[in-house]
Amino acid sequence: MQATSHTNRLALETSPYLLQHAHNPVDWHPWGEEALAQARDADLPILLSIGYSACHWCHVMAHESFEDEATAALMNALFVNIKVDREERPDLDKIYQLAHQVLARRPGGWPLTVFLNPHNQAPFFAGTYFPPEARYGLPSFRDALRQVADYYHRRKDSLAENNRSVLEILRSVDAGGPSSMPDATVLRRGRDAMAADYDSHWGGFGGAPKFPMAGSLEFLLRYGDGADREAGEMALHALSRMAVGGLQDHLAGGFYRYSVDERWEIPHFEKMLYDNGLLLALYSEAYARSGEPPLRDTALAAAGWLIAEMQAPEGGYYAALDADSEGEEGRFYVWSRDQVRHALSEAEWPVAQRCFGLDSPPNFEGRWHLRLAATPSQAAQALNLEAAEAESLLQSARVKLLQTRGGRVRPGRDDKILTAWNAMAIRAMALAGRWLGRPDFIDSGARACEFLRQRAWVGGRLYAGCPGGGGSRQEALGIPLRGGLPAYLDDYAYLLDALLELLQARWNSDWLAWATALADDLLERYVDAERGGFYFTAADHEALILRPKSFGDDAVPAGNGVAARSLARLGHLLGEPRYLQAAEQTLRAAGSAMTRHPQAHAALLTALGEWLEPPQIVVLRGDEAAMAAWQEQAGLSWHPRRMVFAIPRESRLPGALAARQAGEATLAYVCAGNRCLPPAVSPQQLRALLVSGT
């Protein structure tokens, strides 16, 4: 049980994760000059602990160690202790996750535990979760604390040399540099490497634990739109398997973070906004490509969950739901057989039992986590029912189970509004609205977009988000934007990408003006003018041991890849060579990394694919009502490299768009790269142009 008689400096923070630790007996500091100066003056090493509010193993380590009086006393005596929310400070997380990989020679994760030299913040020892007693091949946390502190004070000479070596390695990783433009063979090698790691039975990549890897699936879906149908089928197969497994919440919709098994059956139960934004977009496009109803149903459920549970009254989307409730992972989501039977009617129970796998042995610590073990049609056949009746009974069972679950203690919600993660959700809502025929989804994305434009775009500069949902708690604390932190590369890149999708769903000249302002600011503050590509932090960002610049994907697609694609799209739309040049230089800078490990750079592969085959841009000009039929013709089939903008007659347009003038009747302008066709004067003529490509 956590002691509540303590209060540390984190009580003054707004991050839900930091506030979770505000009453630890550990003398926690937030990252900042006060803590760094104290460590320097006292010559005490820094214990840097990085996590996030929905992280199950972060909670475990907190309960076992940070709430323990004896462990806290040791930490306070030997270290200056700094706690960081990785969602607020992805720059620090990127740097020290990379340091962990260098020092421990294996990937990191959360909680991340890194020990730093107080005089230069260089890391000299790193791990993730440490148990209170030695197990899992790990030392006890208290033993590790003593050994690390002893090493720091006794081995200053070797520490200085190790610091120099580690910093040199960190600064050499992923720096990139000018090279020749990668060609289509890199795309093929990326596709083949993904195929080699593909699980042809369960779908997805590799074994347990298994992550959705939405960026890789998006690349395969797009690459498979041409002659290579197998690539697209891999993506569709993976999405289908994920949808029926336990990765999806079969009652409320939406996705958990990853599966602990290869079958997608048992998830790690936190729900992250970024996962759901990426997967909603992917399922919407997969449905548009395939027309398979289960993919549509999955996308509809995910979008409904985002609106119902994750959208703040002010418009933005919250960051995450915790994995734990009442101190147990997954407690909110799992069932006993009797709980399900008691909630349902005699008619509903047999269908639910078969469809949700309740006729199989328990799959989660003596209870059941729901999955779609059988379709309603399969249940109907086994139970001698009509398929429509089984479908209706399953749906009514879902409603009752959801209502019953709603009476439980809910997982905690991290109510930060993060710009990059909101941008992923906005993009997803725009795509879902278009491909699923749901204008209410577009409304939701537009509200979030306007929230960011009003609250995260201040004085011509983007900020990384705001605490407390942007609501009363934030205003009461007098904090206009999340700690006043300027945005990172991902914030700019994802938001630019989202605006280009939202503009296709619903034209707004203010959004286009904002997109160009974001692109200009990105080029001014983040570009690596010497080697190409973009740094993760702005030129005037806080000085850290490293200015990160990465090309590889991690939990989300690489910002450099998303920026390259978005800048190229905007450059083609406006005829702006600066944007096209920046996109080209990014791809060149990443060329060597893409060639060595193409499968690790899915976002850049997708950007490269569009660079080699520029998007087809359709600009409709006319009265808003009259353009609907034209939009329908342009969107009858999914085309991953087609962009369609229906721009009302009265709109004033910048750049090359100004030449796409409205006539007395609606006109359609079709361009691809530097080649434009004469305007089409009817929906049928437009359709013929799109089908023939001439």
Side-chain angles (χ1 to χ4, degrees):
M1 181 69 69
Q2 178 173 344
T4 57
S5 59
H6 302 278
T7 299
N8 57 52
R9 294 168 184 82
L10 301 185
L12 299 176
E13 297 298 305
T14 59
S15 156
Y17 175 64
L18 298 187
L19 290 172
Q20 287 175 356
H21 296 270
H23 298 290
N24 292 167
V26 178
D27 186 18
W28 288 117
H29 297 253
W31 179 275
E33 182 54 33
E34 178 186 342
L36 300 177
Q38 180 176 322
R40 287 194 302 270
D41 294 344
D43 192 30
L44 287 176
I46 294 168
L47 190 164
L48 176 63
S49 176
I50 302 178
Y52 60 99
S53 68
C55 168
H56 171 68
W57 284 102
C58 299
H59 299 330
V60 172
M61 190 167 177
H63 296 322
E64 292 176 343
S65 295
F66 303 150
E67 295 171 8
D68 178 70
E69 297 278 355
T71 303
L74 198 60
M75 294 172 67
N76 295 339
L78 300 179
F79 301 93
V80 170
N81 302 289
I82 297 179
K83 176 65 75 172
V84 165
D85 182 341
R86 68 107 172 176
E87 296 165 2
E88 283 196 338
R89 293 301 302 263
D91 53 336
L92 295 171
D93 188 53
K94 278 186 179 290
I95 290 169
Y96 291 110
Q97 290 285 357
L98 180 60
H100 177 278
Q101 191 161 354
V102 170
L103 291 167
R105 299 184 180 181
R106 61 179 182 272
W110 302 281
L112 181 67
T113 308
V114 189
F115 297 89
L116 313 182
N117 185 326
H119 302 289
N120 57 10
Q121 291 106 62
F124 63 92
F125 183 75
T128 51
Y129 164 79
F130 285 92
E133 307 296 337
R135 59 177 184 263
Y136 311 133
L138 297 170
S140 75
F141 188 47
R142 278 178 281 187
D143 284 348
L145 294 173
R146 295 186 187 97
Q147 292 167 13
V148 169
D150 181 70
Y151 175 85
Y152 173 76
H153 291 292
R154 291 179 178 272
R155 305 287 297 277
K156 292 288 182 69
D157 291 341
S158 59
L159 179 66
E161 179 59 35
N162 289 343
N163 282 172
R164 282 192 292 271
S165 176
V166 169
L167 289 174
E168 286 178 7
I169 295 172
L170 293 178
R171 289 165 182 163
S172 69
V173 173
D174 254 358
S179 65
S180 59
M181 176 63 71
D183 60 23
T185 60
V186 175
L187 302 179
R188 180 68 194 188
R189 290 182 59 240
R191 175 256 187 251
D192 289 346
M194 292 177 192
D197 195 35
Y198 188 76
D199 182 341
S200 60
H201 182 69
W202 297 108
F205 303 96
K210 186 175 282 187
F211 291 81
M213 298 182 68
S216 296
L217 294 178
E218 180 184 13
F219 168 71
L220 290 174
L221 191 69
R222 291 171 176 269
Y223 192 81
D225 188 59
D228 184 1
R229 305 293 293 179
E230 183 183 354
E233 292 303 316
M234 278 191 284
L236 294 175
H237 173 247
L239 292 170
S240 297
R241 298 298 305 201
M242 286 191 289
V244 299
L247 192 71
Q248 182 185 187
D249 180 347
H250 288 281
L251 300 183
F255 291 90
Y256 307 102
R257 184 163 167 251
Y258 66 86
S259 174
V260 302
D261 58 77
E262 65 180 3
R263 305 179 303 278
W264 303 112
E265 185 167 343
I266 302 300
H268 203 29
F269 282 92
E270 65 258 44
K271 285 185 172 183
M272 311 302 294
L273 179 61
Y274 65 83
D275 284 321
N276 282 278
L278 292 169
L279 289 170
L280 171 58
L282 191 52
Y283 274 91
S284 299
E285 292 203 272
Y287 169 70
R289 180 195 186 278
S290 69
E292 295 179 10
L295 298 176
R296 174 186 172 87
D297 294 343
T298 302
L300 287 171
W305 172 78
L306 281 169
I307 294 172
E309 295 197 34
M310 300 300 283
Q311 189 156 30
E314 299 85 0
Y317 300 103
Y318 299 126
L321 294 183
D322 206 327
D324 298 7
S325 56
E326 299 185 81
E328 293 183 25
E329 183 183 12
R331 182 181 178 92
F332 180 73
Y333 299 103
V334 299
W335 300 82
S336 70
R337 186 182 277 130
D338 286 344
Q339 286 174 325
V340 177
R341 180 179 289 175
H342 180 73
L344 303 182
S345 70
E346 288 296 321
E348 291 163 342
W349 162 247
V351 176
Q353 181 186 33
R354 188 169 292 271
C355 288
F356 289 141
L358 298 168
D359 53 353
S360 300
N363 60 6
F364 186 80
E365 298 177 0
R367 291 171 289 179
W368 281 264
H369 173 57
L370 305 184
R371 58 194 173 91
L372 196 60
T375 65
S377 295
Q378 290 168 334
Q381 186 174 9
L383 299 170
N384 198 26
L385 299 172
E386 294 293 330
E389 182 182 4
E391 178 69 51
S392 177
L393 288 168
L394 182 62
Q395 183 56 36
S396 63
R398 279 197 175 103
V399 171
K400 290 181 180 179
L401 292 174
L402 184 61
Q403 184 178 18
T404 300
R405 196 177 78 178
R408 299 175 179 176
V409 176
R410 299 179 66 83
R413 182 169 61 195
D414 188 320
D415 62 358
K416 292 192 304 294
I417 307 290
L418 300 171
T419 298
W421 295 11
N422 266 253
M424 292 183 224
I426 292 166
R427 175 179 181 267
M429 286 297 190
L431 284 165
R434 286 168 52 207
W435 292 118
L436 307 180
R438 290 291 297 266
D440 56 323
F441 294 169
I442 300 171
D443 293 340
S444 173
R447 288 182 59 225
C449 179
E450 283 303 298
F451 175 86
L452 292 182
R453 192 160 70 97
Q454 297 299 322
R455 304 298 289 270
W457 179 247
V458 180
R461 183 162 199 168
L462 189 65
Y463 286 78
C466 39
S472 58
R473 176 157 66 90
Q474 170 197 357
E475 293 165 359
L477 291 168
I479 301 172
L481 291 159
R482 191 190 58 173
L485 290 172
Y488 304 98
L489 168 62
D490 288 1
D491 299 298
Y492 278 86
Y494 294 139
L495 187 51
L496 185 55
D497 192 22
L499 286 167
L500 288 171
E501 291 297 344
L502 198 53
L503 282 165
Q504 295 180 74
R506 183 174 298 161
W507 183 264
N508 183 321
S509 294
D510 290 339
W511 293 343
L512 178 63
W514 191 21
T516 58
L518 289 169
D520 291 342
D521 205 37
L522 182 59
L523 295 185
E524 179 181 345
R525 300 181 195 270
Y526 295 81
V527 75
D528 182 344
E530 179 182 350
R531 292 173 297 182
F534 296 94
Y535 292 106
F536 189 69
T537 54
D540 56 354
H541 191 80
E542 173 190 357
L544 302 170
I545 63 169
L546 175 69
R547 191 178 179 194
K549 179 188 171 192
S550 59
F551 295 115
D553 303 318
D554 46 38
V556 296
N560 267 291
V562 178
R565 183 176 69 170
S566 300
L567 285 168
R569 286 183 159 200
L570 188 62
H572 285 300
L573 178 65
L574 299 180
E576 176 50 72
R578 292 184 301 120
Y579 303 157
L580 294 168
Q581 183 181 30
E584 180 181 11
Q585 290 173 342
T586 300
L587 292 169
R588 288 182 181 274
S592 295
M594 294 168 67
T595 301
R596 289 194 304 271
H597 303 291
Q599 71 275 23
H601 299 82
L604 279 158
L605 293 179
T606 299
L608 176 61
E610 281 205 3
W611 182 264
L612 297 174
E613 186 180 341
Q616 183 185 65
I617 297 177
V618 180
V619 175
L620 308 176
R621 296 300 312 276
D623 296 324
E624 191 168 350
M627 289 189 291
W630 296 69
Q631 284 181 285
E632 182 181 354
Q633 288 298 320
L636 282 177
S637 61
W638 181 69
H639 192 304
R641 286 180 292 278
R642 176 179 297 155
M643 305 174 70
V644 181
F645 301 91
I647 305 177
R649 180 187 306 278
E650 63 275 10
S651 302
R652 298 184 63 180
L653 303 175
L657 270 181
R660 301 340 183 223
Q661 297 181 359
E664 293 184 5
T666 302
L667 294 174
Y669 298 86
V670 180
C671 297
N674 297 320
R675 178 172 174 266
C676 294
L677 304 175
V681 297
S682 71
Q684 294 74 24
Q685 186 183 9
L686 170 61
R687 183 65 185 166
L689 288 177
L690 297 178
V691 170
S692 66
T694 59

